[in-house]
Amino acid sequence: MNGKAQSSGTGVPSQGDRAARLVAIGIAAYLTITLVPLLRHVLAVRELLPLIVHLATLAIVGASLGFRSAHARTLRALMPLALVPVLYIDLRWLIAGWGRPQ
């Protein structure tokens, strides 16, 4: 394998590690920005489950960004795939929070 495919023992992140970190930052930014319409929905329907799911997802993404271990790199690499179902359900709550029909 070449040096770009995996991180070296020197602590320098590989290109894949940097890409996974950038994707995680993008997901964290998306989850942070969409808190406003989600809060509107939660206040309208008085149900806490959407807020709990959204904040738990944000906490997992944030935690993966806070660590640089091999486990955190693996979590960041698999996170976009694992979050697709959660973000799909979350989108339903966000659309309602924006006041749009589904």
Side-chain angles (χ1 to χ4, degrees), residues 19-32:
R21 188 168 183 79
L22 185 62
V23 168
I25 290 170
I27 292 171
Y30 167 81
L31 290 169
T32 302

Side-chain angles (χ1 to χ4, degrees), residues 1-75:
M1 289 191 175
N2 62 21
K4 291 184 180 181
Q6 64 188 45
S7 44
S8 62
T10 62
V12 177
S14 71
Q15 188 175 6
D17 292 339
R18 288 191 300 269
R21 188 168 183 79
L22 185 62
V23 168
I25 290 170
I27 292 171
Y30 167 81
L31 290 169
T32 302
I33 291 168
T34 56
L35 268 173
V36 173
L38 185 75
L39 285 173
R40 287 179 57 194
H41 172 69
V42 167
L43 292 173
V45 298
R46 301 193 187 280
E47 183 181 337
L48 287 178
L49 181 64
L51 183 62
I52 292 169
V53 169
H54 196 89
L55 291 177
T57 306
L58 183 58
I60 291 168
V61 173
S64 79
L65 288 169
F67 298 102
R68 296 190 183 270
S69 69
H71 295 299
R73 284 194 307 269
T74 302
L75 178 63

